[in-house]
Amino acid sequence: MKYLLKLDVNMITGGYIFIGLLGFLSCEEKQTKSKDICETQACNETAKQIISYMDTTVKPCDDFYRFACGRFVDTAEIHSDKADNTSFAEVDLRVEEQLKSVVSEPPRPNELAPFQSLKRLFSLCMNEEKINSRGVGPALAKLKAAGGWPVLGNWGNKKWNFLDTYIRLRNSMMGHNSLFQIDVEVDIKNNSRRIIMVDQPSLGLAQELLVKGPNDTMVKAYFNFMVDIAVLFGANKKTALKELRSSLHFEIELAKVMTVKEERRDYTRMYNFFILPKLTAELGWDWDKLLRGIMPKPISIRRDEVIIVVEVQYMRKLKQLLRSNSIRVIANYMMWHAARDMIEVLTIEMSDRTQQYINTLYGTTDRRPRWRECMDAVSGMSIALSSLYVRKFFDENSKKVASQMTKKILQEASIVIKKVDWMNHETREQAVYKASQMATHIGYPDELTDDRKLEEMYKGLNLLNETHFFEAY
């Protein structure tokens, strides 16, 4: 949903800049006359929305937060399927409702293929009765193909190793972030290239909760959830209680050796440069095999490939943990995460048990409407979804107005930089240069309205003939 949020949130964010300026002027007791006033429908609606959040009975210099957001705090409701509410969440919901109206329409014969596939996926997701009637069979087959889940009794341990399992899970797009994450990102020190990055895992429960240990209320709820889901997959409950307790302890140990989020703000510390052979030598397993196993076929891995390891100490401690735990414990842990990733596309009973767990964790009381769950499912096709939104709802004039406004802000910033007296000559020159090099990203990239690029992006994807949500997803 990131693209989608930017489309409407940019207008809201611009409004908050306006509130900040308004508060500043109120404090300085100055008045200015605006030369350019945006009077489009989008600007009027955004202004009305922002003003409805403000409490103008409060002086901004006394309590700026109350001035800017007071009425929203007093009147906003937290929906029964949510744990909180923000002005941005309200925008998100409005965008989702708009998108629902579009993706719910049947595909048109002359429509772009990505749009037809998107609508087909949404339609399959909405047929919950058909999804439920298939049971867990398709998911069990996928788990078996990835090496099997010991707790289910379909695991072959003779040739098992975590590296092969990671590769199979990664290529199946399920549970592959349980030990570490591998992504291709823009290099923060050279944004003209992309680079392979290795980072800490994504755990099943927040790190700050897991480190409290197995007797913590939330950790107990997580463990009970693990066991119940395993039973719904076909495990014997007594076996699940015994074996998954060990995998829970393994996950707790992982949480303890991970770097806490408060210490993950120093990007220089987290930029650790490794050449592929050095990475294998220091971290002990075959990274060349791993990377070749997960990369798409057209991409080749060079012998001198550069990899950035974000948390080196975590990776070293992971190596020790993998040595000190049995392969059965590690396999149960990895396959639990794979199973967890498939819950949302399986039976109603699994969805209900998941909602019970979410209610305990976040204090919600109701399950989200099915259409919102399906919007999450189709958001995997984010470019097509964003393109559909832009073509249907976005006012092109709003983008032009925002672009002009941004251009004037940058021009004014350069003027201010040249006038301030606290910069020396060298610093001023650097600041002016930086301001001149700033790129603007307003509303949406032009590629979203380019049919050729959109079809190229989704070349080979055709969901029109799919009859089941699990396979299409």
Side-chain angles (χ1 to χ4, degrees), residues 69-87:
C69 306
R71 224 183 310 176
F72 177 83
V73 173
D74 291 342
T75 60
E77 296 181 358
I78 298 177
H79 302 287
S80 59
D81 62 332
K82 289 178 171 285
D84 56 19
N85 194 8
T86 68
S87 58

Side-chain angles (χ1 to χ4, degrees), residues 173-404:
M173 297 302 294
M174 59 178 188
H176 54 276
N177 290 329
S178 59
L179 293 173
F180 45 78
Q181 301 185 61
I182 301 177
D183 295 294
V184 177
E185 304 281 357
V186 174
D187 187 348
I188 61 171
K189 292 192 176 182
N190 180 2
N191 61 13
S192 66
R193 69 175 185 177
R194 293 181 180 273
I195 198 166
I196 298 171
M197 299 192 74
V198 179
D199 200 357
Q200 296 183 157
S202 173
L203 302 175
L205 184 65
Q207 179 193 12
E208 59 267 28
L209 295 177
L210 279 169
V211 295
K212 294 180 179 180
N215 294 322
D216 178 77
T217 301
M218 292 302 178
V219 179
K220 284 182 179 179
Y222 177 53
F223 175 65
N224 291 333
F225 175 56
M226 292 170 64
V227 171
D228 289 347
I229 293 299
V231 170
L232 290 175
F233 267 100
N236 173 275
K237 186 162 186 176
K238 186 176 179 180
T239 302
L241 283 166
K242 178 182 178 182
E243 296 209 11
L244 295 183
R245 192 176 301 280
S246 296
S247 60
L248 171 66
H249 281 281
F250 178 75
E251 189 163 10
I252 290 172
E253 290 306 308
L254 282 178
K256 288 179 179 178
V257 300
M258 286 170 62
T259 304
V260 296
K261 59 186 178 183
E262 292 82 5
E263 295 178 8
R264 286 170 55 85
R265 297 170 182 168
D266 183 351
Y267 289 99
T268 301
R269 181 193 68 79
M270 296 190 295
Y271 192 90
N272 302 291
F273 187 97
F274 283 82
I275 301 296
L276 187 55
K278 181 183 176 185
L279 186 64
T280 298
E282 290 208 17
L283 298 182
W285 52 79
D286 192 343
W287 282 90
D288 182 67
K289 174 186 175 180
L290 174 57
L291 295 175
R292 290 180 189 279
I294 66 175
M295 290 295 171
K297 294 299 181 185
I299 298 177
S300 59
I301 301 296
R302 302 187 309 272
R303 179 67 181 166
D304 61 347
E305 193 74 54
V306 173
I307 296 100
I308 300 301
V309 179
V310 179
E311 297 294 349
V312 176
Q313 288 305 312
Y314 166 77
M315 297 303 293
R316 286 174 177 153
K317 291 173 182 176
L318 171 64
K319 178 181 171 182
Q320 296 171 0
L321 280 175
L322 292 174
R323 286 176 174 172
S324 60
N325 283 270
S326 72
I327 59 172
R328 189 177 188 90
V329 168
I330 299 166
N332 265 323
Y333 167 73
M334 293 180 73
M335 300 311 287
W336 149 244
H337 280 266
R340 186 173 63 94
D341 280 357
M342 294 188 286
I343 292 172
E344 62 186 38
V345 297
L346 296 173
T347 65
I348 293 174
E349 192 173 10
M350 281 201 179
S351 295
D352 289 343
R353 181 61 185 91
T354 302
Q355 188 59 49
Q356 182 185 340
Y357 170 62
I358 290 172
N359 291 348
T360 302
L361 202 58
Y362 298 111
T364 54
T365 57
D366 292 325
R367 181 181 167 185
R368 289 190 305 165
R370 179 63 182 176
W371 72 265
R372 292 201 69 202
E373 294 176 347
C374 291
M375 285 307 306
D376 278 356
V378 300
S379 67
M381 295 181 65
S382 60
I383 303 298
L385 195 59
S386 299
S387 179
L388 202 59
Y389 179 86
V390 165
R391 295 166 192 238
K392 180 75 174 181
F393 297 109
F394 203 87
D395 179 2
E396 179 62 29
N397 191 51
S398 295
K399 183 176 180 180
K400 291 178 182 177
V401 170
S403 297
Q404 291 168 359

Side-chain angles (χ1 to χ4, degrees), residues 113-114 117 381 454-464 466:
S117 291
M381 295 181 65
L454 189 67
E455 291 192 313
E456 184 181 343
M457 170 82 181
Y458 292 99
K459 185 178 180 181
L461 177 69
N462 186 350
L463 302 180
L464 286 180
E466 292 288 351

